[in-house]
Amino acid sequence: MIYFENVSKIYPDGTIALEGATLSIKQGEFVSIVGHSGAGKTTLVKLLLGEDQPTGGSVSFDSVDIQNVRAKDMPDLRRRIGVIFQDFRLLPNKTAYENVAFAMEVAGKSDEEIASDVPHVLELVDLSKKMWNFPRQLSGGELQRVAIARAIVNHPDLIIADEPTGNLDPVNTYEIVQILKKVNDMGTTVILTTHNRGVVEALGKRVITMDHGKITRDDMMGKYAL
Ligand code: ADP
């Protein structure tokens, strides 16, 4: 489903963020990408989302070379990928319900679909009781659960969670990872980036380790090792 072939990324200031990165991810996998801050995890995600171009090599998604996707076709590709960030990125003036509904509106879904799917997906992340709360009335863990609901509501093929537990305590971290696992069990491919050793060890899924822009390990039932 995803293929990085000998990918390098050198930023204009000369920073080498990725060097000779080759990896493939199959549909339905749950893959954690771990490494210290600055290892290149976010750069990898940006290249996959087409937000930046590799300096060398190629990045493909379902056999489509992302660098060759025309600007007008990019939104179609992006709709197939749900993204979750460390800082949640919810709209502050919309309730949990409205944040999720908005993602469906933007994707052109009907009012009927929105009215039936939003409560369902908020129930999946155990937020039914708080769906009328605004972001300022929610805890960090709850905010991230809204963000997950928003990311999955349009049934993407892939969820990318870029350091989703970076702002959370251990209990909330555990809950978020369990929800991502549930999403994966339902068939969605998940890529999780983290520097949190505990998160990855508890999962027992594939772990790709990065260090200074290089993939240094790829363990199927991995342990985090730097
Ligand atoms: P991680 O997500 O693992 O913390 P990043 O991909 O954000 O790592 O960064 C990898 C390296 O690239 C770091 O040395 C970082 O400082 C550098 N970097 C990231 N973005 C830019 C940029 N826009 N310009 C220059 N250097 C950058």
Side-chain angles (χ1 to χ4, degrees):
M1 181 191 209
I2 293 155
Y3 192 45
F4 280 70
E5 191 184 12
N6 200 21
V7 174
S8 63
K9 176 66 188 177
I10 304 171
Y11 285 107
D13 67 358
T15 303
I16 300 172
L18 285 179
E19 208 179 340
T22 295
L23 71 96
S24 68
I25 296 174
K26 292 196 192 77
Q27 193 168 345
E29 273 196 280
F30 191 127
V31 180
S32 302
I33 301 178
V34 302
H36 293 307
S37 177
K41 306 181 295 294
T42 298
T43 300
L44 205 81
V45 167
K46 281 189 179 155
L47 298 182
L48 187 52
L49 292 172
E51 288 176 6
D52 209 341
Q53 303 286 319
T55 312
S58 68
V59 180
S60 59
F61 182 76
D62 270 355
S63 306
V64 176
D65 194 328
I66 291 178
Q67 296 86 261
N68 295 339
V69 176
R70 282 173 300 184
K72 76 172 178 55
D73 296 326
M74 209 60 206
D76 283 340
L77 181 73
R78 281 301 313 276
R79 263 194 274 284
R80 299 180 53 200
I81 307 176
V83 192
I84 301 156
F85 302 96
Q86 177 170 353
D87 57 0
F88 321 122
R89 303 197 191 175
L90 298 175
L91 298 167
N93 297 326
K94 290 187 185 292
T95 63
Y97 182 99
E98 289 165 348
N99 265 280
V100 179
F102 187 64
M104 293 189 76
E105 284 164 27
V106 170
K109 299 292 166 71
S110 70
D111 291 349
E112 291 75 22
E113 281 175 292
I114 292 172
S116 94
D117 289 4
V118 175
H120 175 73
V121 82
L122 284 168
E123 191 186 330
L124 197 81
V125 298
D126 199 19
L127 267 185
S128 299
K129 291 200 183 94
K130 302 211 172 175
M131 63 184 177
W132 302 114
N133 285 29
F134 287 91
R136 66 175 179 280
Q137 300 167 320
L138 295 168
S139 72
E142 289 166 347
L143 292 169
Q144 199 56 297
R145 284 191 268 149
V146 178
I148 293 175
R150 179 180 60 180
I152 63 176
V153 75
N154 291 319
H155 308 286
D157 300 316
L158 169 68
I159 290 284
I160 299 176
D162 192 9
E163 203 75 64
T165 60
N167 286 329
L168 304 180
D169 63 26
V171 172
N172 282 303
T173 293
Y174 178 80
E175 282 179 5
I176 291 302
V177 172
Q178 290 310 308
I179 291 171
L180 290 174
K181 206 167 167 212
K182 189 157 84 174
V183 169
N184 177 247
D185 287 341
M186 288 158 53
T188 311
T189 309
V190 175
I191 298 177
L192 163 69
T193 77
T194 182
H195 61 265
N196 186 330
R197 174 189 182 91
V199 166
V200 167
E201 288 193 340
L203 266 171
K205 300 269 188 185
R206 181 177 174 195
V207 179
I208 293 171
T209 306
M210 296 189 65
D211 189 21
H212 290 95
K214 291 188 176 151
I215 293 171
T216 54
R217 293 183 63 119
D218 189 345
D219 302 302
M220 286 320 287
M221 288 282 289
K223 294 257 177 188
Y224 176 95
L226 285 178

PDB file of all heavy atoms in Angstrom, residues 107-136:
ATOM      1  N   ALA A 107     -16.335  16.890   3.019  1.00  0.00           N
ATOM      2  CA  ALA A 107     -16.229  15.756   2.091  1.00  0.00           C
ATOM      3  C   ALA A 107     -17.514  15.573   1.278  1.00  0.00           C
ATOM      4  O   ALA A 107     -17.638  14.603   0.522  1.00  0.00           O
ATOM      5  CB  ALA A 107     -15.904  14.484   2.871  1.00  0.00           C
ATOM      6  N   GLY A 108     -18.470  16.490   1.449  1.00  0.00           N
ATOM      7  CA  GLY A 108     -19.683  16.460   0.624  1.00  0.00           C
ATOM      8  C   GLY A 108     -20.733  15.460   1.067  1.00  0.00           C
ATOM      9  O   GLY A 108     -21.598  15.071   0.269  1.00  0.00           O
ATOM     10  N   LYS A 109     -20.696  15.047   2.318  1.00  0.00           N
ATOM     11  CA  LYS A 109     -21.674  14.064   2.802  1.00  0.00           C
ATOM     12  C   LYS A 109     -23.030  14.738   3.050  1.00  0.00           C
ATOM     13  O   LYS A 109     -23.099  15.927   3.352  1.00  0.00           O
ATOM     14  CB  LYS A 109     -21.175  13.401   4.087  1.00  0.00           C
ATOM     15  CG  LYS A 109     -19.863  12.635   3.920  1.00  0.00           C
ATOM     16  CD  LYS A 109     -20.047  11.403   3.052  1.00  0.00           C
ATOM     17  CE  LYS A 109     -18.740  10.806   2.572  1.00  0.00           C
ATOM     18  NZ  LYS A 109     -17.968  10.168   3.605  1.00  0.00           N
ATOM     19  N   SER A 110     -24.091  13.930   2.946  1.00  0.00           N
ATOM     20  CA  SER A 110     -25.451  14.474   3.114  1.00  0.00           C
ATOM     21  C   SER A 110     -25.761  14.699   4.590  1.00  0.00           C
ATOM     22  O   SER A 110     -25.121  14.109   5.471  1.00  0.00           O
ATOM     23  CB  SER A 110     -26.475  13.500   2.531  1.00  0.00           C
ATOM     24  OG  SER A 110     -26.541  12.341   3.345  1.00  0.00           O
ATOM     25  N   ASP A 111     -26.797  15.527   4.846  1.00  0.00           N
ATOM     26  CA  ASP A 111     -27.219  15.784   6.228  1.00  0.00           C
ATOM     27  C   ASP A 111     -27.622  14.490   6.924  1.00  0.00           C
ATOM     28  O   ASP A 111     -27.362  14.304   8.117  1.00  0.00           O
ATOM     29  CB  ASP A 111     -28.400  16.766   6.251  1.00  0.00           C
ATOM     30  CG  ASP A 111     -27.976  18.168   5.831  1.00  0.00           C
ATOM     31  OD1 ASP A 111     -26.750  18.403   5.734  1.00  0.00           O
ATOM     32  OD2 ASP A 111     -28.863  19.001   5.596  1.00  0.00           O
ATOM     33  N   GLU A 112     -28.259  13.600   6.175  1.00  0.00           N
ATOM     34  CA  GLU A 112     -28.710  12.327   6.762  1.00  0.00           C
ATOM     35  C   GLU A 112     -27.507  11.490   7.206  1.00  0.00           C
ATOM     36  O   GLU A 112     -27.495  10.928   8.300  1.00  0.00           O
ATOM     37  CB  GLU A 112     -29.540  11.505   5.759  1.00  0.00           C
ATOM     38  CG  GLU A 112     -30.901  12.085   5.425  1.00  0.00           C
ATOM     39  CD  GLU A 112     -30.819  13.296   4.500  1.00  0.00           C
ATOM     40  OE1 GLU A 112     -29.799  13.445   3.790  1.00  0.00           O
ATOM     41  OE2 GLU A 112     -31.762  14.103   4.513  1.00  0.00           O
ATOM     42  N   GLU A 113     -26.512  11.413   6.327  1.00  0.00           N
ATOM     43  CA  GLU A 113     -25.306  10.642   6.678  1.00  0.00           C
ATOM     44  C   GLU A 113     -24.626  11.232   7.905  1.00  0.00           C
ATOM     45  O   GLU A 113     -24.175  10.505   8.795  1.00  0.00           O
ATOM     46  CB  GLU A 113     -24.314  10.655   5.505  1.00  0.00           C
ATOM     47  CG  GLU A 113     -24.630   9.688   4.392  1.00  0.00           C
ATOM     48  CD  GLU A 113     -23.655   9.871   3.240  1.00  0.00           C
ATOM     49  OE1 GLU A 113     -23.706  10.935   2.581  1.00  0.00           O
ATOM     50  OE2 GLU A 113     -22.846   8.966   3.007  1.00  0.00           O
ATOM     51  N   ILE A 114     -24.556  12.551   7.930  1.00  0.00           N
ATOM     52  CA  ILE A 114     -23.890  13.223   9.044  1.00  0.00           C
ATOM     53  C   ILE A 114     -24.637  12.926  10.347  1.00  0.00           C
ATOM     54  O   ILE A 114     -24.031  12.538  11.351  1.00  0.00           O
ATOM     55  CB  ILE A 114     -23.795  14.753   8.780  1.00  0.00           C
ATOM     56  CG1 ILE A 114     -22.836  15.010   7.607  1.00  0.00           C
ATOM     57  CG2 ILE A 114     -23.334  15.498  10.036  1.00  0.00           C
ATOM     58  CD1 ILE A 114     -22.784  16.440   7.121  1.00  0.00           C
ATOM     59  N   ALA A 115     -25.958  13.047  10.304  1.00  0.00           N
ATOM     60  CA  ALA A 115     -26.763  12.833  11.517  1.00  0.00           C
ATOM     61  C   ALA A 115     -26.654  11.394  12.019  1.00  0.00           C
ATOM     62  O   ALA A 115     -26.746  11.140  13.221  1.00  0.00           O
ATOM     63  CB  ALA A 115     -28.221  13.180  11.232  1.00  0.00           C
ATOM     64  N   SER A 116     -26.413  10.463  11.125  1.00  0.00           N
ATOM     65  CA  SER A 116     -26.320   9.075  11.601  1.00  0.00           C
ATOM     66  C   SER A 116     -24.887   8.667  11.950  1.00  0.00           C
ATOM     67  O   SER A 116     -24.655   7.935  12.905  1.00  0.00           O
ATOM     68  CB  SER A 116     -26.952   8.116  10.575  1.00  0.00           C
ATOM     69  OG  SER A 116     -25.997   7.600   9.708  1.00  0.00           O
ATOM     70  N   ASP A 117     -23.917   9.184  11.199  1.00  0.00           N
ATOM     71  CA  ASP A 117     -22.529   8.719  11.393  1.00  0.00           C
ATOM     72  C   ASP A 117     -21.803   9.406  12.553  1.00  0.00           C
ATOM     73  O   ASP A 117     -20.982   8.778  13.225  1.00  0.00           O
ATOM     74  CB  ASP A 117     -21.706   8.918  10.112  1.00  0.00           C
ATOM     75  CG  ASP A 117     -22.108   7.944   9.015  1.00  0.00           C
ATOM     76  OD1 ASP A 117     -23.071   7.183   9.237  1.00  0.00           O
ATOM     77  OD2 ASP A 117     -21.470   7.955   7.959  1.00  0.00           O
ATOM     78  N   VAL A 118     -22.082  10.700  12.776  1.00  0.00           N
ATOM     79  CA  VAL A 118     -21.307  11.423  13.799  1.00  0.00           C
ATOM     80  C   VAL A 118     -21.536  10.825  15.198  1.00  0.00           C
ATOM     81  O   VAL A 118     -20.564  10.509  15.892  1.00  0.00           O
ATOM     82  CB  VAL A 118     -21.580  12.946  13.756  1.00  0.00           C
ATOM     83  CG1 VAL A 118     -20.862  13.650  14.905  1.00  0.00           C
ATOM     84  CG2 VAL A 118     -21.140  13.526  12.416  1.00  0.00           C
ATOM     85  N   PRO A 119     -22.800  10.611  15.615  1.00  0.00           N
ATOM     86  CA  PRO A 119     -22.979   9.998  16.946  1.00  0.00           C
ATOM     87  C   PRO A 119     -22.351   8.618  17.033  1.00  0.00           C
ATOM     88  O   PRO A 119     -21.783   8.234  18.066  1.00  0.00           O
ATOM     89  CB  PRO A 119     -24.505   9.905  17.097  1.00  0.00           C
ATOM     90  CG  PRO A 119     -25.044  10.912  16.148  1.00  0.00           C
ATOM     91  CD  PRO A 119     -24.082  10.950  14.994  1.00  0.00           C
ATOM     92  N   HIS A 120     -22.409   7.885  15.933  1.00  0.00           N
ATOM     93  CA  HIS A 120     -21.855   6.535  15.918  1.00  0.00           C
ATOM     94  C   HIS A 120     -20.345   6.556  16.164  1.00  0.00           C
ATOM     95  O   HIS A 120     -19.810   5.793  16.979  1.00  0.00           O
ATOM     96  CB  HIS A 120     -22.183   5.874  14.578  1.00  0.00           C
ATOM     97  CG  HIS A 120     -21.571   4.539  14.412  1.00  0.00           C
ATOM     98  ND1 HIS A 120     -22.021   3.431  15.094  1.00  0.00           N
ATOM     99  CD2 HIS A 120     -20.516   4.123  13.676  1.00  0.00           C
ATOM    100  CE1 HIS A 120     -21.273   2.401  14.776  1.00  0.00           C
ATOM    101  NE2 HIS A 120     -20.353   2.784  13.920  1.00  0.00           N
ATOM    102  N   VAL A 121     -19.663   7.446  15.458  1.00  0.00           N
ATOM    103  CA  VAL A 121     -18.204   7.480  15.559  1.00  0.00           C
ATOM    104  C   VAL A 121     -17.768   8.065  16.918  1.00  0.00           C
ATOM    105  O   VAL A 121     -16.757   7.652  17.495  1.00  0.00           O
ATOM    106  CB  VAL A 121     -17.604   8.202  14.324  1.00  0.00           C
ATOM    107  CG1 VAL A 121     -17.635   9.703  14.488  1.00  0.00           C
ATOM    108  CG2 VAL A 121     -16.227   7.724  14.012  1.00  0.00           C
ATOM    109  N   LEU A 122     -18.568   8.976  17.459  1.00  0.00           N
ATOM    110  CA  LEU A 122     -18.242   9.508  18.792  1.00  0.00           C
ATOM    111  C   LEU A 122     -18.476   8.450  19.876  1.00  0.00           C
ATOM    112  O   LEU A 122     -17.774   8.419  20.886  1.00  0.00           O
ATOM    113  CB  LEU A 122     -19.045  10.787  19.072  1.00  0.00           C
ATOM    114  CG  LEU A 122     -18.507  12.020  18.334  1.00  0.00           C
ATOM    115  CD1 LEU A 122     -19.484  13.179  18.414  1.00  0.00           C
ATOM    116  CD2 LEU A 122     -17.147  12.449  18.886  1.00  0.00           C
ATOM    117  N   GLU A 123     -19.417   7.568  19.613  1.00  0.00           N
ATOM    118  CA  GLU A 123     -19.628   6.454  20.547  1.00  0.00           C
ATOM    119  C   GLU A 123     -18.426   5.500  20.502  1.00  0.00           C
ATOM    120  O   GLU A 123     -17.968   4.989  21.528  1.00  0.00           O
ATOM    121  CB  GLU A 123     -20.911   5.719  20.155  1.00  0.00           C
ATOM    122  CG  GLU A 123     -21.367   4.718  21.195  1.00  0.00           C
ATOM    123  CD  GLU A 123     -22.542   3.906  20.706  1.00  0.00           C
ATOM    124  OE1 GLU A 123     -23.343   4.423  19.902  1.00  0.00           O
ATOM    125  OE2 GLU A 123     -22.628   2.740  21.128  1.00  0.00           O
ATOM    126  N   LEU A 124     -17.923   5.302  19.311  1.00  0.00           N
ATOM    127  CA  LEU A 124     -16.761   4.424  19.138  1.00  0.00           C
ATOM    128  C   LEU A 124     -15.556   4.897  19.957  1.00  0.00           C
ATOM    129  O   LEU A 124     -14.770   4.086  20.451  1.00  0.00           O
ATOM    130  CB  LEU A 124     -16.400   4.397  17.646  1.00  0.00           C
ATOM    131  CG  LEU A 124     -15.505   3.296  17.158  1.00  0.00           C
ATOM    132  CD1 LEU A 124     -16.318   2.026  16.934  1.00  0.00           C
ATOM    133  CD2 LEU A 124     -14.840   3.702  15.850  1.00  0.00           C
ATOM    134  N   VAL A 125     -15.418   6.206  20.096  1.00  0.00           N
ATOM    135  CA  VAL A 125     -14.302   6.741  20.889  1.00  0.00           C
ATOM    136  C   VAL A 125     -14.754   7.093  22.314  1.00  0.00           C
ATOM    137  O   VAL A 125     -14.060   7.804  23.047  1.00  0.00           O
ATOM    138  CB  VAL A 125     -13.633   7.969  20.210  1.00  0.00           C
ATOM    139  CG1 VAL A 125     -13.043   7.587  18.863  1.00  0.00           C
ATOM    140  CG2 VAL A 125     -14.600   9.134  20.068  1.00  0.00           C
ATOM    141  N   ASP A 126     -15.927   6.611  22.669  1.00  0.00           N
ATOM    142  CA  ASP A 126     -16.466   6.747  24.031  1.00  0.00           C
ATOM    143  C   ASP A 126     -16.655   8.203  24.453  1.00  0.00           C
ATOM    144  O   ASP A 126     -16.311   8.588  25.560  1.00  0.00           O
ATOM    145  CB  ASP A 126     -15.535   6.006  25.013  1.00  0.00           C
ATOM    146  CG  ASP A 126     -16.242   5.700  26.326  1.00  0.00           C
ATOM    147  OD1 ASP A 126     -17.480   5.728  26.354  1.00  0.00           O
ATOM    148  OD2 ASP A 126     -15.536   5.460  27.322  1.00  0.00           O
ATOM    149  N   LEU A 127     -17.221   8.980  23.544  1.00  0.00           N
ATOM    150  CA  LEU A 127     -17.447  10.398  23.852  1.00  0.00           C
ATOM    151  C   LEU A 127     -18.909  10.815  23.684  1.00  0.00           C
ATOM    152  O   LEU A 127     -19.198  12.011  23.584  1.00  0.00           O
ATOM    153  CB  LEU A 127     -16.571  11.278  22.961  1.00  0.00           C
ATOM    154  CG  LEU A 127     -15.221  11.677  23.532  1.00  0.00           C
ATOM    155  CD1 LEU A 127     -14.530  12.655  22.588  1.00  0.00           C
ATOM    156  CD2 LEU A 127     -15.332  12.308  24.918  1.00  0.00           C
ATOM    157  N   SER A 128     -19.804   9.848  23.676  1.00  0.00           N
ATOM    158  CA  SER A 128     -21.224  10.176  23.454  1.00  0.00           C
ATOM    159  C   SER A 128     -21.718  11.216  24.447  1.00  0.00           C
ATOM    160  O   SER A 128     -22.482  12.117  24.091  1.00  0.00           O
ATOM    161  CB  SER A 128     -22.081   8.917  23.596  1.00  0.00           C
ATOM    162  OG  SER A 128     -21.689   7.975  22.649  1.00  0.00           O
ATOM    163  N   LYS A 129     -21.243  11.088  25.681  1.00  0.00           N
ATOM    164  CA  LYS A 129     -21.757  11.983  26.738  1.00  0.00           C
ATOM    165  C   LYS A 129     -21.243  13.408  26.585  1.00  0.00           C
ATOM    166  O   LYS A 129     -21.770  14.325  27.189  1.00  0.00           O
ATOM    167  CB  LYS A 129     -21.342  11.451  28.110  1.00  0.00           C
ATOM    168  CG  LYS A 129     -22.042  10.157  28.488  1.00  0.00           C
ATOM    169  CD  LYS A 129     -21.979   9.958  30.007  1.00  0.00           C
ATOM    170  CE  LYS A 129     -22.597   8.637  30.411  1.00  0.00           C
ATOM    171  NZ  LYS A 129     -21.585   7.558  30.514  1.00  0.00           N
ATOM    172  N   LYS A 130     -20.188  13.587  25.830  1.00  0.00           N
ATOM    173  CA  LYS A 130     -19.589  14.930  25.760  1.00  0.00           C
ATOM    174  C   LYS A 130     -19.643  15.510  24.358  1.00  0.00           C
ATOM    175  O   LYS A 130     -18.871  16.410  24.024  1.00  0.00           O
ATOM    176  CB  LYS A 130     -18.144  14.874  26.254  1.00  0.00           C
ATOM    177  CG  LYS A 130     -18.067  14.334  27.684  1.00  0.00           C
ATOM    178  CD  LYS A 130     -16.925  14.888  28.470  1.00  0.00           C
ATOM    179  CE  LYS A 130     -17.065  14.443  29.913  1.00  0.00           C
ATOM    180  NZ  LYS A 130     -15.946  14.832  30.738  1.00  0.00           N
ATOM    181  N   MET A 131     -20.542  15.011  23.519  1.00  0.00           N
ATOM    182  CA  MET A 131     -20.480  15.466  22.130  1.00  0.00           C
ATOM    183  C   MET A 131     -20.894  16.917  21.939  1.00  0.00           C
ATOM    184  O   MET A 131     -20.579  17.510  20.925  1.00  0.00           O
ATOM    185  CB  MET A 131     -21.221  14.531  21.190  1.00  0.00           C
ATOM    186  CG  MET A 131     -22.662  14.370  21.356  1.00  0.00           C
ATOM    187  SD  MET A 131     -23.128  13.122  20.141  1.00  0.00           S
ATOM    188  CE  MET A 131     -24.840  12.978  20.503  1.00  0.00           C
ATOM    189  N   TRP A 132     -21.558  17.502  22.942  1.00  0.00           N
ATOM    190  CA  TRP A 132     -21.924  18.918  22.812  1.00  0.00           C
ATOM    191  C   TRP A 132     -20.946  19.828  23.544  1.00  0.00           C
ATOM    192  O   TRP A 132     -21.177  21.026  23.673  1.00  0.00           O
ATOM    193  CB  TRP A 132     -23.369  19.140  23.273  1.00  0.00           C
ATOM    194  CG  TRP A 132     -24.306  18.285  22.477  1.00  0.00           C
ATOM    195  CD1 TRP A 132     -25.069  17.250  22.916  1.00  0.00           C
ATOM    196  CD2 TRP A 132     -24.514  18.346  21.060  1.00  0.00           C
ATOM    197  NE1 TRP A 132     -25.748  16.656  21.882  1.00  0.00           N
ATOM    198  CE2 TRP A 132     -25.434  17.312  20.723  1.00  0.00           C
ATOM    199  CE3 TRP A 132     -24.023  19.162  20.025  1.00  0.00           C
ATOM    200  CZ2 TRP A 132     -25.858  17.080  19.413  1.00  0.00           C
ATOM    201  CZ3 TRP A 132     -24.446  18.923  18.716  1.00  0.00           C
ATOM    202  CH2 TRP A 132     -25.358  17.899  18.427  1.00  0.00           C
ATOM    203  N   ASN A 133     -19.856  19.271  24.042  1.00  0.00           N
ATOM    204  CA  ASN A 133     -18.826  20.110  24.681  1.00  0.00           C
ATOM    205  C   ASN A 133     -17.948  20.776  23.620  1.00  0.00           C
ATOM    206  O   ASN A 133     -17.659  20.183  22.574  1.00  0.00           O
ATOM    207  CB  ASN A 133     -17.912  19.265  25.570  1.00  0.00           C
ATOM    208  CG  ASN A 133     -18.586  18.865  26.870  1.00  0.00           C
ATOM    209  OD1 ASN A 133     -19.803  18.727  26.933  1.00  0.00           O
ATOM    210  ND2 ASN A 133     -17.796  18.683  27.913  1.00  0.00           N
ATOM    211  N   PHE A 134     -17.506  21.976  23.935  1.00  0.00           N
ATOM    212  CA  PHE A 134     -16.521  22.647  23.091  1.00  0.00           C
ATOM    213  C   PHE A 134     -15.126  22.159  23.492  1.00  0.00           C
ATOM    214  O   PHE A 134     -14.936  21.675  24.615  1.00  0.00           O
ATOM    215  CB  PHE A 134     -16.621  24.166  23.270  1.00  0.00           C
ATOM    216  CG  PHE A 134     -17.842  24.760  22.631  1.00  0.00           C
ATOM    217  CD1 PHE A 134     -19.020  24.897  23.350  1.00  0.00           C
ATOM    218  CD2 PHE A 134     -17.804  25.144  21.288  1.00  0.00           C
ATOM    219  CE1 PHE A 134     -20.157  25.425  22.745  1.00  0.00           C
ATOM    220  CE2 PHE A 134     -18.945  25.665  20.683  1.00  0.00           C
ATOM    221  CZ  PHE A 134     -20.118  25.808  21.414  1.00  0.00           C
ATOM    222  N   PRO A 135     -14.124  22.310  22.606  1.00  0.00           N
ATOM    223  CA  PRO A 135     -12.776  21.852  22.947  1.00  0.00           C
ATOM    224  C   PRO A 135     -12.278  22.344  24.309  1.00  0.00           C
ATOM    225  O   PRO A 135     -11.654  21.585  25.060  1.00  0.00           O
ATOM    226  CB  PRO A 135     -11.926  22.394  21.790  1.00  0.00           C
ATOM    227  CG  PRO A 135     -12.868  22.333  20.628  1.00  0.00           C
ATOM    228  CD  PRO A 135     -14.209  22.740  21.193  1.00  0.00           C
ATOM    229  N   ARG A 136     -12.595  23.593  24.671  1.00  0.00           N
ATOM    230  CA  ARG A 136     -12.085  24.113  25.947  1.00  0.00           C
ATOM    231  C   ARG A 136     -12.698  23.388  27.141  1.00  0.00           C
ATOM    232  O   ARG A 136     -12.205  23.510  28.271  1.00  0.00           O
ATOM    233  CB  ARG A 136     -12.328  25.624  26.044  1.00  0.00           C
ATOM    234  CG  ARG A 136     -13.782  26.003  26.122  1.00  0.00           C
ATOM    235  CD  ARG A 136     -14.009  27.501  26.351  1.00  0.00           C
ATOM    236  NE  ARG A 136     -15.438  27.791  26.383  1.00  0.00           N
ATOM    237  CZ  ARG A 136     -16.199  27.918  25.305  1.00  0.00           C
ATOM    238  NH1 ARG A 136     -15.656  27.825  24.093  1.00  0.00           N
ATOM    239  NH2 ARG A 136     -17.499  28.158  25.408  1.00  0.00           N
TER     240      ARG A 136
END
